Structures are given as structure tokens and as C-alpha cells.
Amino acid sequence: MKSHQPAPQASSSAAPDRAGESLSLWALASLCSVPFVMVLGNSMLIPVLPAMGHALDVSPVQVGLLITAFSVPAGLLIPLAGALADRYGRKIIMVPALMLYGLGGLLAGAAALWLAKPFPYLLGARILQGVGAGGTYQLAMTLTGDLLPPGRRARVLGLLETSNGAGKVASPLLGSLLGLITWFAPFFFYGALAIPTALAVWALVPEGAAKGQPLGQYFAGLKAVAQEKGAGLAGAYLTGAVSLFLLFGALATFSDQAEAVYGLRDLGKGLALAVPVTGSALCSYVMGRWLAGKPERVQPALLVGLGLAALALGLIPFVHGLTWRLIALLFLGVGVGTALTPANTAVTGSVDAARRGAVTCLYGSMRFFGVAIGPPAFGLAAGAGWSPAALYGVAAALALGTATAVGLAFRPGRLLTRWRQGLAPA
């Protein structure tokens, strides 16, 4: 049972000096800009993917790899970034990660501007961005936990999540507006936003306490959590990955159709794509308030969210007008928002603070993988000749299958034991 004991924490001596402090307005703004920058990494490109495909003369599946090339390395490196930050400090990992994220964007834009056949270089630059993204949002949450006591921490964590949601809503509009300049303008925007954010975090945000936890003990803690609560966590992880897989796959498909089928261009396309992500963001906020202090509501909320997503996906091939298609996509966004919030709650409430970073970072990886695989998977199925009914029918079946697995394996009473004892997730 020794692996269950938290490592000696340097924060026990260093954190109290800061625990009673409030973050300055500029420090708070700097931290809140991190999740906003991170969520633009994929969403801002969705409206311009068709234009990119035409300009680069590549297939929808190939252009979808620009999403995958970012998300896979980010997903793989999130747990490692958390472990390194636990040992060496938060800012010393997060600030270079933000710089790398911005530099990758600038390199992608430069390749598109100056090279005749830039696609392989764009993929390389997006991989570089993904490496940087692995050390951003989750570490901003960790740093908030270091710097603020529980009574003030929840409010700032809520602001971080609000900023993340605002990025999801704004990203299609930003992508469309930047696409009016040229199809590769969004890449330069990453650098223009991420590099100043990195400098602001370094200069304005205090450093948290490095805990000095060895990597071996970090992964031993993960093993202990898996043994104790693996089934419940697997349900939450699966919900996060599948929900984002379905949402981003459907959004990428709609982006391909928006111009050819519905005549939407530029800002009109961005506004249309903002509909489902706005529904998801607003529903996430509402669900957060509804779930507060009510762990018994977690599993029903997961099932309702996945059920709504399945219903929306099942309806999409049978509604052809733009208004009805947007309504179906809105319900998909509402379903995803309804499912993600209880999944987040289950993950953060399943363990104590000593192991929460490891569990949360692994969950972040699963979410990234869902985003990464969705667009190329939907594009590959459409390119292979799948009818819309077959494509969205399989997607709906996946949502229902996930709901079934959650209904059978998810045990909130066991997973959220600590929460029931009064330790609500921060």
C-alpha cells in the first residue's frame, strides 16, 4: 500500500505563503488566456479545412490529418507534462510549451507562404504545436490549485473553464474571419496570441510549488488508481473521448458540406459552426451548476447526454434544410455538453489532490484523442462511399454503446466516495 501514499510535497512549506493570496487581475487574465489559446488549436481550423484542401490539392482525409497531427502528440504528452511539472515546477514547463505552440503556428504559416508544396511541412509544424499544447490548459488548472486556497480556487477554475468555452464559441468565427485574408492566416494568429500569453504568464503569474515527485512514483500512483476505480474512470474517459470524437467528426463533415450544399461562405460558415459549440458550452455551464453537491446526478447526466447525442446523430441524415440541420447539430452539441460536465466531475472527484493531477491529465489525453480521430474517421468513411444514413447510424450506435457501457460499469457511489464524504472536486 505504500504506492498509495503521496510523495513528500514541497508545497507544504512553500504553498502556504501564497495560499491566502488573491491573484492580481493581470495574473488572472494571463492564466485565463491559456485555455482560450489551447482550444483554438483545432476548432479555428475547422471552417477553413475545405479551403486548405483545395489550396493544397489534398483529399478531405489528408487535410483532416492537420487536426490529427496536433491532437495526437498533445494527447500523448499531457500526462508527461503533468509529471514533469510536479517535479520541476509549473511555469518552467508551461511557458516553453506555449512558446512552442506559437512557434509551430508561425512555421506553418511561413511554409504555406513560401513553399510550393507545403503540406508535409504543415504536418510537421502542427506536430510541433501539439507537443506544446500538451503542457498548457491542464497545467494552468494545476497552477491555480497551487496558488489559491479551496475557497477561492473554485471561482478561478470556473473562469478557466469559461474561457475554454468562450474559445470554442469564438474559434469558428475567428477561423472564418481570418480565412477571408487567406487560408493560412490562422497559423500566424497562433503565434500572435500564444507567444505574448507565454510571456505574460512568465512575468505576471507566481510560480506554484514543485512537489518533487519522482516519475516512478507518479506512474505507480496511476496504477493504484486504476486498480481501485478503473471501471468507473474508464466510463468517464470513454465518455470524454467518444463525445468529442462525434462532435468534431460531425463538425468537420458539416464544414465540408456548408459551402457546396448550403452555399455558406466565410463568416456565414463560422456562425453556423458556432451554433453547436455554443450549445455545448452553455449546457456545460448549466450542468455544472445542476451537479454541484449532487453526486447521485452524475450517472443520469452521462446517460442523458450520450442519449441526446445519439438521437441527434440519428436524425442528421434525414433532415436536409439548413435550419433543421443546424437544429440537429445544436442538439448534438447540447448532448456533448451534457455528457462532458459529469465526466469532468467524476474524474476530478474520484481521487484526492495528491493524485488528481495524474488522473485528470490522463483524461485530457483521452479527450485529445477523440478530437484527433474524429475528422479523419468521418472523412474516411465518407470517402469510402458510406451513405449519410450509414455514417451517422454507426456514430449514433457508438454513442448508445458508450451509454450502455456507462450504465453497466459506472458506479458513482464507489468512484465518488471522497466526494460523498464532503470533499467536493475543486
Side-chain angles (χ1 to χ4, degrees), residues 18-177:
R18 295 177 179 144
E21 296 180 3
S22 295
L23 290 172
S24 71
L25 181 61
W26 289 110
L28 181 59
S30 300
L31 270 182
C32 286
S33 65
V34 175
F36 184 89
V37 169
M38 188 278 292
V39 81
L40 298 180
N42 280 322
S43 302
M44 195 167 66
L45 295 186
I46 294 290
V48 292
L49 284 179
M52 288 183 178
H54 292 142
L56 297 167
D57 193 24
V58 297
S59 70
V61 174
Q62 288 175 300
V63 79
L65 292 176
L66 292 173
I67 302 296
T68 306
F70 174 88
S71 298
V72 169
L76 289 173
L77 290 175
I78 286 173
L80 179 60
L84 293 174
D86 280 343
R87 183 160 182 79
Y88 299 110
R90 316 309 187 192
K91 287 176 25 175
I92 201 170
I93 303 299
M94 184 165 60
V95 170
L98 284 165
M99 296 291 286
L100 202 60
Y101 179 102
L103 178 62
L106 295 178
L107 289 175
L113 181 62
W114 289 319
L115 298 179
K117 294 185 178 180
F119 184 67
Y121 300 93
L122 292 180
L123 288 177
R126 288 288 287 168
I127 291 172
L128 193 65
Q129 278 195 288
V131 171
T136 55
Y137 182 24
Q138 287 75 18
L139 294 189
M141 294 173 62
T142 303
L143 189 54
T144 300
D146 289 346
L147 297 174
L148 294 173
R152 296 176 182 172
R153 186 184 306 152
R155 181 181 301 177
V156 176
L157 288 172
L159 289 174
L160 292 178
E161 190 60 38
T162 300
S163 178
N164 183 267
K168 290 177 181 175
V169 173
S171 52
L173 302 177
L174 282 172
S176 297
L177 289 172

Side-chain angles (χ1 to χ4, degrees), residues 287-336:
M287 289 301 298
R289 296 179 65 87
W290 186 70
L291 291 169
K294 306 288 185 182
E296 68 278 2
R297 295 179 175 178
V298 168
Q299 188 176 32
L302 286 169
L303 298 176
V304 168
L306 290 166
L308 281 174
L311 178 62
L313 289 163
L315 288 175
I316 285 176
F318 303 105
V319 293
H320 303 292
L322 177 61
T323 300
W324 289 107
R325 179 61 62 90
L326 287 177
I327 290 173
L329 288 171
L330 173 63
F331 273 98
L332 174 60
V334 168
V336 169

